[in-house]
Amino acid sequence: MLRHTVRQGESIISLSQQYGVPVDKIWDHPDNRALRQRGRTKSILYPGDAVTIPDHETKEVQAATERRHRFSCRGRTTWLRLRFLDKGRPRHGEPYELHIGAQKFTGDLNGEGKLEVRLPADAEEGILLLGSPPRQETIRIRVGHLDPLDEDEGVRKRLQNLGLLAPGGDDSSGERLRSALRRFQKMQGLAATGALDDATRNKLIEVHGS
Amino acid sequence: MVWDRNLNWIVPLRRVVVTQRLTYEEAMRAWELALRLPEHKEKMCLWYGIAARDYDDACDTLLEWRYMMHYSGILYCAVETTATADASRHFWVRAWKGPLRVLQETAGGVSSLVPDLMTGEINDPDAEFLEGDIVEFPLFKFLVHCGKDGYEGLCFNPEGSPFLGNTVVDDAGDPPVAGQDLHDNMLAMRFQLLFNLGMAGFYHQAAVYQSGAGSGLLGEPGGTRVYARGMMYGAVLKVCVRPDIRNPNPSDPHWLVASYHWGRRNAEVVPTLDSYNRVLLPGQPLTPAWSCSPCTLTVMYILLDADRWGESAVNNEYDAGRLSQYRARRLTRCEILGADNPREASITVNLLPENPGAPEVDGVRQAPQRLGDLNVVCLYRHEQALLRIYPHCRLLDMGSAGTPPHTGCICVYNPATGRDYFDGVEGQTSMGQLWKFEASGAMHTEREPQRMGAGPHHWDRIEENIVRFVKTPGETRHGGGYHGIWYRAADPTASNLQDMQRFNHFIMFDLNEDALAGLYFPGKTYRPIVSGDYRLKVLSRQRLRRVRATDPDREYNDYKRLYAERAVPYLTLDEFIQATTPAGRSRSDYPPAQDLLAEITAAENPPAQSTAPATGQPAS
């Protein structure tokens, strides 16, 4: 058993792949209760979180000598689901080309403006070409880089995805974040307080999808 | 202010002329800060009915976009969940290249400004804007962020022109409807278009002469001094032109800026240096190809955006119902009626009585109306346009409370510098400065040779805004002409009619011939008796066409030579290269001008194009 300090981009799923321990065995480990209570999920951790990784389980297999045996280790894959909107409306039917590692996925966004692909669990970075030339957009996909909603950074990144907040820039006072929240609240018909109350939080999850 | 010193707001908070090179980020910053100025905020909130808090939030959105424009295209997500991206909240600008940029791009001095084909937006955050470029900020998007949902469906018109008020369209490509109004200054923009053309802004884009109609002008390469002059769309230019000259063709993709001398082959109308030197003082801005009547009428109707201008212009002018819908100050027509003796006829603009029956004062009959911003004065078969021009700051003060300046005042800027053309107008914010625009008489029948379009159009500053006209000594006949066509009797002669038809003008005359001696326009009942058979069709102003200048009376076999003889003060490519050649580099480091010309010519005339029929078909 070891304690793993989470880096940006890691999730329980990617740690499962990394350490060869089943997802549920990591997630359900009693030492990780605090993570669960703090609202972390198997998909979304925060840099600095400490995750207890149980030891490998030993599996014994009977095999005769003088014969060849084949053992396969199933590599874990995971779903990546992305949704693209234009002024709040799905961009359905637009062609996409997703490059992650050596893999390439192509298709059209579905009626909800979504694409769904299965990726290796440790995938972290990809390039998405969306649309057709000459209006093709290039989007960098940062898999596992979405932070928990309980952290300011998690709120920021969701608002950034929704085009309401820019990455970078000085916001030590948090005013830009409050302003972006206020605009989000107005767009969603909520009370424009600039605070992440429960209603806003739920709406953000609903609109963003996570 | 420091932050907008490189910009000149030709339409406040919406459209600028770049006066000094600046980056995209600087332009966006200037827009944001201009929006945040309290006085601007106050006006915007008033005009568009925006709550102050919503306005501030929209400014914050813009601020975020300024940060975001370099980072857009990153999507944070987590596996096994959904992440949603909505990148539609951007504020990319629309831009039009200025003449300097065109030259520089030709010479390879700057990276090309590449607009999005579908929207015309410049979505390269590293782009730079140069002097003379025109940039329009997406004000309609800002308004959406202010909670004005009515602007939601608008976008930039990739074929729109800042001069024509059609830079923004809805999703279907149609002009914005009521409820989607954007403040503009169409009057100023239209005037600017005329002015630029008058300044011999013969902007040339590669495709202009690609069509068959222009192929005859290409000929063999000639001058090598001037190549491209930038982009100029003119959808509002039309002058009376006889249709049997070789150009007019309904399928011709170009709008015609024709100069036509009927009856006499002169060569002074195409705005070349040669023609300028011959007809006017050096440095005086000209608008060739206009006679007084088409000039004044067209100016009026273009500026007012009056319905069907140029076709039934005279008729329209007297149709109060048509013009009354425009907010521009009343179009006033004054006919200065003189006595037998020559003398100076004076009008003190701001002291004019509004009573149409005002008596003569010191032998000078006063004009019946107060002079407006647009005026036509008819002086013995010769007409002049009196235009009141304001400095730019007037645009911010235009209109009553809650009324954006869609029309209403004329401001003029130099597209190359973005500054006022005229000096000393800063103090004229409220009163403006009157200028007289005038073209030589053209359509009258008494003087030979008849000249239409042969005369230059020039302008003068009217000192102290007091208009004075000097009657020709011995001139006793007056009031018998209209729009330059003088008629001798109630029944025009065949010659009269022919003249009139050619110019598609109605003759209006008073039913009571005896009343002419004391006639004021308007004020009587008129009856049209003639309409033009050669009426030029009013082409849709929505369809932008490139401008082609032609002079059927002069053998310009090579349009480049025409450019080479230009009179505009812009640098030629050679001059530009010389002026910008850095120390340590010689002229030979750059490709010879002839080579560039050959490349351009080749690009303009690919083999497939060269086989096009000479009769001309629309360019694709």
Side-chain angles (χ1 to χ4, degrees), chain B residues 286-364:
Chain B
L286 307 172
T287 306
W290 302 88
S291 71
C292 68
S293 296
C295 169
T296 50
L297 276 178
T298 309
V299 166
M300 295 298 118
Y301 280 82
I302 288 176
L303 294 180
L304 292 174
D305 197 20
D307 221 8
R308 304 183 70 193
W309 53 266
E311 184 175 18
S312 301
V314 177
N315 202 20
N316 289 343
E317 187 173 337
Y318 287 91
D319 187 340
R322 286 180 184 273
L323 290 180
S324 62
Q325 62 184 294
Y326 302 101
R327 289 202 193 102
R329 294 184 184 179
R330 174 108 183 215
L331 174 67
T332 305
R333 180 183 178 79
C334 311
E335 185 167 12
I336 310 300
L337 301 176
D340 293 342
N341 299 321
R343 64 173 184 275
E344 186 179 75
S346 299
I347 302 172
T348 304
V349 175
N350 296 299
L351 299 179
L352 287 178
E354 292 186 283
N355 180 1
E360 290 186 357
V361 177
D362 295 334
V364 177

Side-chain angles (χ1 to χ4, degrees), chain B residues 187-397:
Chain B
L187 200 59
M189 293 301 107
R190 287 163 194 278
F191 182 78
Q192 192 68 52
L193 172 64
L194 292 179
F195 187 78
N196 286 357
L197 289 165
M199 284 288 285
F202 273 43
Y203 295 82
H204 166 64
Q205 187 127 28
V208 170
Y209 284 88
Q210 281 184 359
S211 77
S215 60
L217 292 172
L218 286 173
E220 58 187 49
T224 59
R225 294 179 56 202
V226 182
Y227 302 91
R229 283 265 167 248
M231 184 185 301
M232 170 65 74
Y233 290 102
V236 294
L237 268 184
K238 182 175 67 176
V239 295
C240 303
V241 61
R242 204 172 64 190
D244 58 349
I245 63 172
R246 61 187 173 205
N247 177 68
N249 181 338
S251 61
D252 191 320
H254 307 100
W255 286 85
L256 183 65
V257 184
S259 58
Y260 172 63
H261 315 260
W262 103 43
R264 176 65 67 93
R265 294 175 66 86
N266 293 325
E268 62 188 15
V269 292
V270 175
T272 64
L273 199 58
D274 173 64
S275 64
Y276 276 23
N277 288 340
R278 271 198 278 164
V279 296
L280 276 183
L281 297 173
Q284 211 165 3
L286 307 172
T287 306
W290 302 88
S291 71
C292 68
S293 296
C295 169
T296 50
L297 276 178
T298 309
V299 166
M300 295 298 118
Y301 280 82
I302 288 176
L303 294 180
L304 292 174
D305 197 20
D307 221 8
R308 304 183 70 193
W309 53 266
E311 184 175 18
S312 301
V314 177
N315 202 20
N316 289 343
E317 187 173 337
Y318 287 91
D319 187 340
R322 286 180 184 273
L323 290 180
S324 62
Q325 62 184 294
Y326 302 101
R327 289 202 193 102
R329 294 184 184 179
R330 174 108 183 215
L331 174 67
T332 305
R333 180 183 178 79
C334 311
E335 185 167 12
I336 310 300
L337 301 176
D340 293 342
N341 299 321
R343 64 173 184 275
E344 186 179 75
S346 299
I347 302 172
T348 304
V349 175
N350 296 299
L351 299 179
L352 287 178
E354 292 186 283
N355 180 1
E360 290 186 357
V361 177
D362 295 334
V364 177
R365 193 180 296 277
Q366 299 299 295
Q369 304 281 348
R370 191 181 292 272
L371 281 182
D373 286 356
L374 309 169
N375 312 274
V376 177
V377 174
C378 178
L379 183 66
Y380 188 60
R381 301 192 303 260
H382 174 57
E383 296 184 357
Q384 299 173 344
L386 303 180
L387 303 183
R388 190 190 301 269
I389 297 176
Y390 297 90
H392 282 152
C393 51
R394 172 73 176 180
L395 293 172
L396 275 178
D397 297 327

Side-chain angles (χ1 to χ4, degrees), chain B residues 373-448:
Chain B
D373 286 356
L374 309 169
N375 312 274
V376 177
V377 174
C378 178
L379 183 66
Y380 188 60
R381 301 192 303 260
H382 174 57
E383 296 184 357
Q384 299 173 344
L386 303 180
L387 303 183
R388 190 190 301 269
I389 297 176
Y390 297 90
H392 282 152
C393 51
R394 172 73 176 180
L395 293 172
L396 275 178
D397 297 327
M398 192 54 213
S400 57
T403 306
H406 291 278
T407 60
C409 65
I410 303 172
C411 301
V412 186
Y413 67 92
N414 185 328
T417 66
R419 298 190 170 85
D420 287 310
Y421 267 123
F422 309 115
D423 296 328
V425 295
E426 291 78 11
Q428 304 286 347
T429 304
S430 60
M431 293 298 301
Q433 171 63 55
L434 277 174
W435 295 80
K436 179 178 69 177
F437 291 77
E438 159 175 50
S440 67
M443 294 190 291
H444 57 79
T445 58
E446 286 193 322
R447 193 178 305 163
E448 294 294 340

Side-chain angles (χ1 to χ4, degrees), chain A residues 13 18 24 28 31 55 75 88 98 106 113 117 151 161-162 167 173 176 178 195 198:
Chain A
I13 297 166
Q18 180 179 341
D24 290 341
D28 294 336
D31 290 354
D55 292 333
L98 176 63
T106 58
V117 295
E151 306 291 340
N161 284 349
L162 294 173
S173 67
R176 284 178 53 206
R178 283 190 290 277
D198 286 345

